[in-house]
Amino acid sequence: MAVSTDALVRDYWHLVAHRSELARPGDFVRLDWMAGELVLHNDEGEIIAFDNVCPHRGGRFFIDDRGAARAVCPYHGWSVRGGEVRVARREQFTACDLEKAVLNRFRTQWCGDFLFVGIAPVMSLEAQLDAFAAPLADISGDIVAPHDIYTIDFQANWRVGVENALEGYHVNSVHPETLAPMALRDDVDSYAVLNSAYHARVGHARTARGLEDLRRFFDLRAGFEGYCAYYLFPFAMVSSTFGYSYSMQTYFPAAEPHRSRFCTRLFAGRPAAGAEAVSDTLLNAAAPFNRQVFDEDHEICRRVSHGYDLDAEDRIFAATEARVRHLAQTLRAIEEAQAASAAPHQRWNIAR
Ligand code: FES
Ligand SMILES: [Fe+2]
């Protein structure tokens, strides 16, 4: 038995966007998740989250990943304003109940400038993020603009992707020319109930010096010397090197068990006044680098056997895979709580 992904989707908050992506009226982000699509939309100043399905005949409001437009269904012209559906040529609907012409909307909640969406979360966002709420809010305040967005139709279960992102043990074999040369060292894992984080210093001296020299071009509150990655249970990661740019990954489950909906987005850290060009140069270099790293991760994840049991009790973990073990323990604790049909937050007994 394993925790059902449907339950994970329904019961927890999900990091889905940064405020800078939805800053102006009309701005939207579209994400694939499960069998459907999630839309985050700046609806005349209010940020709303809804299923990308028109309640009339199922037309999709948006097909691009990101952009700015009014939510208008191109099929028969129904639109969304103030979170409500506007029916085109309403007088033609005489013998039916237009009360049913509503969007399937989701709950939204902010942690700083990070946007989370929930279907029926079993706890508050603060409780879910626990000790990571404060550092995440600080990080979110250092992000000023979206840059690259890259999606992969991931040919592996979401958990294979997340487990890969939770450990650095694979870096030398999977990323020999991209990440391995940074030679991360002095790494520290930390935990906040369901979530975990990784902080490390850049071991390659010349790279480290080069990165330190760039600090004067940035105006950061949450900057730090090195690399950090936060895993936000169940499907999201936020990572950065020195805070100059941030990347956000979501590994949403797909309807098929050995697929997931992967999206990585790159954001600009706040440049110092007059240093915008330096930030742009860095982002333009970081975007293809990040894409390559995630292509490398995807290549190895799709090789993982569908027969490998992610829930087996006797799995083997290196010390550098402690966060993978923590996730396995977390999922087992949730599963036991579900089996005992107690509220999960009363039943967690997760090693820190
Ligand atoms: S399907 Fe959207 S208006 Fe008809
Ligand atoms: Fe990797």
Side-chain angles (χ1 to χ4, degrees):
M1 253 290 286
V3 171
S4 90
T5 44
D6 287 353
L8 292 176
V9 172
R10 183 194 60 223
D11 292 350
Y12 296 91
W13 292 98
H14 308 292
L15 174 65
V16 289
H18 183 265
R19 202 185 293 273
S20 61
E21 298 177 278
L22 301 163
R24 295 158 306 161
D27 282 352
F28 70 87
V29 174
R30 188 201 61 83
L31 291 169
D32 293 303
W33 71 345
M34 284 66 71
E37 298 166 32
L38 168 70
V39 168
L40 299 322
H41 188 227
N42 183 324
D43 181 16
E44 299 181 321
E46 188 199 354
I47 306 301
I48 59 172
F50 56 93
D51 235 347
N52 193 22
V53 178
C54 174
H56 179 228
R57 285 289 173 276
R60 290 150 72 220
F61 290 99
F62 298 107
I63 51 172
D64 292 334
D65 292 334
R66 207 152 58 179
R70 278 191 59 212
V72 178
C73 177
Y75 202 163
H76 311 92
W78 288 20
S79 59
V80 178
R81 194 173 286 187
E84 309 270 316
V85 172
R86 303 282 175 107
V87 175
R89 280 158 287 146
R90 205 180 173 91
E91 68 285 356
Q92 296 193 19
F93 294 84
T94 46
C96 64
D97 183 5
L98 278 181
E99 296 289 297
K100 292 185 191 134
V102 290
L103 293 175
N104 183 22
R105 284 181 64 172
F106 305 110
R107 292 174 61 186
T108 56
Q109 193 73 251
W110 296 91
C111 172
D113 288 334
F114 282 134
L115 178 66
F116 288 74
V117 157
I119 296 175
V122 292
M123 68 188 84
S124 68
L125 178 60
E126 294 72 28
Q128 186 179 318
L129 295 175
D130 194 64
F132 288 174
L136 279 170
D138 288 348
I139 284 171
S140 75
D142 277 348
I143 293 174
V144 291
H147 192 77
D148 195 34
I149 183 165
Y150 183 50
T151 58
I152 301 176
D153 183 13
F154 218 78
Q155 316 275 308
N157 183 270
W158 68 271
R159 200 165 149 199
V160 172
V162 167
E163 290 197 351
N164 169 268
L166 283 173
E167 50 93 355
Y169 184 48
H170 72 274
V171 166
N172 287 342
S173 42
V174 174
H175 310 293
E177 280 155 30
T178 46
L179 289 182
M182 285 173 75
L184 295 178
R185 63 173 172 85
D186 303 339
D187 45 323
V188 177
D189 292 338
S190 54
Y191 299 92
V193 193
L194 302 161
N195 317 283
S196 64
Y198 173 87
H199 287 77
R201 300 178 85 81
V202 175
H204 186 266
R206 198 151 51 88
T207 307
R209 270 199 308 278
L211 286 165
E212 282 158 21
D213 284 349
L214 291 169
R215 170 144 328 105
R216 61 204 159 99
F217 296 113
F218 290 88
D219 176 17
L220 303 171
R221 257 139 256 168
F224 48 88
E225 293 191 9
Y227 171 83
C228 77
Y230 286 87
Y231 166 55
L232 306 178
F233 183 86
F235 307 126
M237 305 274 312
V238 174
S239 59
S240 179
T241 306
F242 280 69
Y244 304 155
S245 64
Y246 278 90
S247 77
M248 173 197 293
Q249 289 86 49
T250 44
Y251 298 82
F252 284 118
E256 311 89 333
H258 300 296
R259 290 282 182 90
S260 41
R261 308 295 179 216
F262 174 83
C263 177
T264 182
R265 285 171 266 178
L266 184 65
F267 296 90
R270 182 184 298 100
E276 290 77 9
V278 176
S279 168
D280 277 349
T281 304
L282 278 178
L283 289 165
N284 288 334
F289 178 89
N290 283 10
R291 284 180 175 223
Q292 189 182 337
V293 168
F294 288 111
D295 283 341
E296 290 166 356
D297 282 324
H298 180 222
E299 278 309 307
I300 200 65
C301 286
R302 68 193 292 190
R303 275 184 74 144
V304 171
S305 168
H306 295 179
Y308 173 72
D309 184 0
L310 292 156
D311 295 298
E313 301 239 355
D314 57 353
R315 299 176 75 201
I316 304 161
F317 300 102
T320 46
E321 297 176 294
R323 296 167 69 216
V324 181
R325 186 179 54 215
H326 177 265
L327 172 60
Q329 290 169 336
T330 300
L331 291 169
R332 191 164 304 132
I334 291 172
E335 182 195 333
E336 284 167 13
Q338 284 174 349
S341 56
H345 58 279
Q346 293 166 356
R347 293 276 310 203
W348 286 326
N349 180 20
I350 301 156
R352 288 198 176 220

